[in-house]
Amino acid sequence: MIKIPPYLKKGDLIGVTCSSSKMELQAAEFAAGVLNNMGYRVHLGITVGTSFHNFSAPDELRLEELQDMLDDPEIKAIVFGRGGYGMVCLLDKLDFTRFRKHPKWLCGYSDITALHAHIQEQFGIPTLHSMMCSGITPQTADNEYVNSLHLAL
């Protein structure tokens, strides 16, 4: 049986994590402002605005933050900062026990697709192959793709 995550309401909390590539803090703050203007509260994770080689942080820190966001009942959706490469390093180490009981929307593309595929195959829970924070810029803030993320949530 498919368990669809609940749709968001105004005031719900969205977590932003960079579980793969690094993202500049200023760019993430802009995206968070756009999500705020949609009516959501936003929590920027500690991997946002940090750098470790091509990644946002070492595997252990990226894993810990993503696991915490998956487990946090207050976070109703996770919008990933960027794709790139890095999710495959975390997939086999994530514990989906709480997520399966209380699913939330996971939003992203690029290497986040590995997470989407894993969750679909293992648990049949829908996720959103969608815009990420890196695509929410001053030039795109009002475009159809950003608006489609809002409508989907």
Side-chain angles (χ1 to χ4, degrees):
M1 182 174 166
I2 294 176
K3 188 167 188 177
I4 298 175
Y7 294 101
L8 274 60
K9 302 178 301 288
K10 285 192 182 262
D12 278 347
L13 183 63
I14 293 176
V16 175
T17 182
C18 291
S19 59
S20 299
S21 298
K22 54 191 167 189
M23 181 178 186
E24 295 296 322
L25 180 59
Q26 185 176 3
E29 288 173 339
F30 179 83
V34 171
L35 294 170
N36 257 318
N37 289 338
M38 292 177 183
Y40 307 119
R41 295 177 299 127
V42 180
H43 167 71
L44 294 178
I46 58 173
T47 60
V48 175
T50 60
S51 178
F52 181 76
H53 304 289
N54 290 332
F55 302 107
S56 64
D59 287 358
E60 299 79 25
L61 184 57
R62 292 182 293 116
L63 174 65
E64 179 181 349
E65 178 170 85
L66 180 53
Q67 187 69 63
D68 287 347
M69 287 190 183
L70 286 170
D71 292 346
D72 187 336
E74 190 177 3
I75 293 177
K76 304 300 181 193
I78 299 172
V79 178
F80 292 89
R82 285 192 61 193
Y85 174 79
M87 180 55 69
V88 295
C89 303
L90 310 180
L91 266 181
D92 291 338
K93 299 173 185 163
L94 288 166
D95 178 356
F96 293 97
T97 304
R98 289 185 187 165
F99 176 81
R100 288 172 62 195
K101 291 178 183 170
H102 305 285
K104 57 190 72 185
W105 292 108
L106 305 179
C107 310
Y109 66 99
S110 186
D111 84 319
I112 306 306
T113 305
L115 179 62
H116 295 311
H118 179 80
I119 289 172
Q120 177 59 43
E121 179 165 325
Q122 296 295 312
F123 315 117
I125 297 172
T127 57
L128 291 175
H129 192 265
S130 69
M131 176 69 65
M132 291 187 282
C133 288
S134 61
I136 304 174
T137 67
Q139 295 77 28
T140 66
D142 282 333
N143 78 12
E144 63 188 299
Y145 305 109
V146 175
N147 289 330
S148 71
L149 174 61
H150 185 207
L151 291 172
L153 291 172

